Amino acid sequence: MSNFTRNVVAAITVLVLAGTVSFAQSSGEATYKAKCQMCHGEKGLADSGAGKAMKVKPATDPDVKKLSEAQMIDAVHNGMGKMQAYKDKLTDAQIKDAVEYFRTFAK
Ligand code: HEC
């Protein structure tokens, strides 16, 4: 590897690591917007195209409101219906924060 290539590789590595760290620290809102909003909608109302197509229930639906935070975390962790499991894609903290953000829409 030439010095130039090595420097480029090092620079890319730093960028990738920096991106991962800032992502891990991002708020539930950021995680929600990046990973959940396309199905659950901007305000948790599942009014997006994918949300309607998959018949996702809005956060204000009685069936959704009766779920505890722990049950919701579980649903996201292990998947629910057509929703994939996120346990390999997001950290437990990211799932918890995204669920907490989602729950603000049910009020
Ligand atoms: C590909 C579309 C899709 C994505 C992306 C998605 N979900 Fe879901 N989600 C669903 C579907 C479908 C269900 C099950 C049907 C239902 O009851 O809404 C569901 C169910 C849930 C539930 C259980 C309560 C409920 O609405 O039934 C929670 C909580 C939830 N999702 C949160 C999240 C969070 C947080 C994320 C992002 C990390 C996420 N979802 C990403 C489609 C999706």
Side-chain angles (χ1 to χ4, degrees), residues 35-36 39-40 54 56-57 64 67 72 76 80 83 86:
K35 305 278 175 190
C36 323
C39 291
H40 287 278
M54 292 176 92
V56 180
K57 294 192 192 100
V64 176
L67 296 176
M72 287 189 178
V76 178
M80 178 180 180
M83 180 170 66
Y86 280 92

Side-chain angles (χ1 to χ4, degrees), residues 31-32 35-40 50-51 54-59 63-64 67 71-73 75-76 80-84 86 90 94-95 98-99 102:
T31 304
Y32 183 86
K35 305 278 175 190
C36 323
Q37 180 169 296
M38 64 278 219
C39 291
H40 287 278
M54 292 176 92
K55 298 197 169 44
V56 180
K57 294 192 192 100
D63 284 345
V64 176
L67 296 176
Q71 286 172 314
M72 287 189 178
I73 289 173
V76 178
M80 178 180 180
K82 293 193 186 97
M83 180 170 66
Q84 62 169 316
Y86 280 92
L90 297 172
Q94 285 175 319
I95 292 176
V99 165
F102 176 74

Side-chain angles (χ1 to χ4, degrees), residues 5-82:
T5 314
R6 202 167 296 151
N7 286 342
V8 168
V9 170
I12 291 171
T13 308
V14 167
L15 283 176
V16 168
L17 288 178
T20 313
V21 169
S22 64
F23 183 65
Q25 287 171 341
S26 67
S27 65
E29 180 176 354
T31 304
Y32 183 86
K33 291 202 159 117
K35 305 278 175 190
C36 323
Q37 180 169 296
M38 64 278 219
C39 291
H40 287 278
E42 196 186 341
K43 298 278 175 221
L45 299 177
D47 48 1
S48 61
K52 282 186 194 144
M54 292 176 92
K55 298 197 169 44
V56 180
K57 294 192 192 100
T60 49
D61 187 288
D63 284 345
V64 176
K65 282 178 102 165
K66 75 179 185 213
L67 296 176
S68 67
E69 184 179 325
Q71 286 172 314
M72 287 189 178
I73 289 173
D74 198 56
V76 178
H77 208 257
N78 297 314
M80 178 180 180
K82 293 193 186 97

